[in-house]
Amino acid sequence: MAKFLAVMSLLAVACTLAMAFEPSPLQDFCVADTSSSTRVNGFVCMDPKQVEAKHFSLSGFHIAGNTSNLFGSVITPATVAVIPGLNTLGISMVRFDYAPWGLVPPHVHPRATEIITVLEGSVLVGFVTSNPENRLITKTLEKGDVFVFPIGLVHFQRSVGNYNAVSISSLSSQNPGVVTVANSVFGSEPSIDSDVLTKAFQVDKNVVNYLQEKF
């Protein structure tokens, strides 16, 4: 009986993992028809006879983005939104450009695990484990180093040094989604009640009001 229960437990875990990620496609491809008004979990397939090479490609991914902003970083996505051929394939990429000490603020990808590779410069990365431990796992990556951010965990990136940095990330979803922690908590529309945030963060209400105005 003990062996039976062990086997059943393993099967349950395997089934849970299988259902937690995007399903395998049932055809060669399903190029997204973004002109369709039909709502599905993903995009409606374009007529295969109309599919061309341009639906599977993206140019300019080598071009550095403009980092002249508050955080000193910019993201260039290669998701289904810009490569329709990614529809149903469960994968995407992102390019990050960092100014010196540029930051990609703490955020979450609700639908994807991310694996990052540093191409130029040094990048400090880290993620925080779930409750109750909330343990920070962090490392400074150099050119050629790779790091993994598990699905659904808060993580961040920051260039280290007085020079630009570049990294590329692959994600296990055609549309991984991004939930930036500060924007979501303090910049929601309509705003979260300040009393809720005051109690949650254990700070003065004026601090919460200031942050809500800022975001």
Side-chain angles (χ1 to χ4, degrees), residues 31-154:
V31 174
D33 182 357
T34 55
S35 66
S36 174
S37 60
T38 303
R39 300 295 181 185
V40 296
N41 188 23
F43 291 94
V44 174
C45 300
M46 179 184 293
D47 183 345
K49 295 178 181 178
Q50 298 178 353
V51 170
E52 302 176 29
K54 66 180 182 180
H55 297 121
F56 298 92
S57 65
L58 173 67
S59 298
F61 212 54
H62 64 291
I63 299 173
N66 184 2
T67 58
S68 300
N69 55 58
L70 182 64
F71 294 113
S73 68
V74 67
I75 300 168
T76 304
T79 62
V80 69
V82 290
I83 306 179
L86 284 176
N87 194 37
T88 75
L89 298 184
I91 193 170
S92 58
M93 294 182 69
V94 175
R95 172 184 170 127
F96 296 93
D97 287 282
Y98 313 80
W101 305 104
L103 173 70
V104 178
H107 62 284
V108 170
H109 299 298
R111 295 180 290 275
T113 291
E114 177 181 353
I115 183 167
I116 183 173
T117 304
V118 174
L119 301 184
E120 296 292 341
S122 302
V123 179
L124 172 69
V125 299
F127 66 85
V128 180
T129 64
S130 57
N131 297 346
E133 290 84 5
N134 298 126
R135 187 163 66 96
L136 173 63
I137 297 177
T138 184
K139 181 178 177 64
T140 298
L141 306 180
E142 304 297 339
K143 182 177 179 178
D145 289 346
V146 175
F147 193 82
V148 175
F149 301 121
I151 186 172
L153 296 186
V154 175

Side-chain angles (χ1 to χ4, degrees), residues 179-209:
V179 180
T180 307
V181 176
N183 295 62
S184 298
V185 174
F186 297 107
S188 66
E189 291 290 345
S191 299
I192 299 174
D193 191 296
S194 59
D195 290 333
V196 173
L197 297 180
T198 298
K199 191 166 186 177
F201 287 92
Q202 295 293 293
V203 295
D204 186 89
K205 194 170 185 177
N206 290 330
V207 174
V208 170
N209 291 337

Side-chain angles (χ1 to χ4, degrees), residues 142-177:
E142 304 297 339
K143 182 177 179 178
D145 289 346
V146 175
F147 193 82
V148 175
F149 301 121
I151 186 172
L153 296 186
V154 175
H155 59 282
F156 64 89
Q157 298 118 258
R158 186 189 187 194
S159 65
V160 180
N162 298 314
Y163 40 83
N164 296 332
V166 181
S167 66
I168 295 280
S169 286
S170 295
L171 300 107
S172 60
S173 173
Q174 67 180 44
N175 182 23

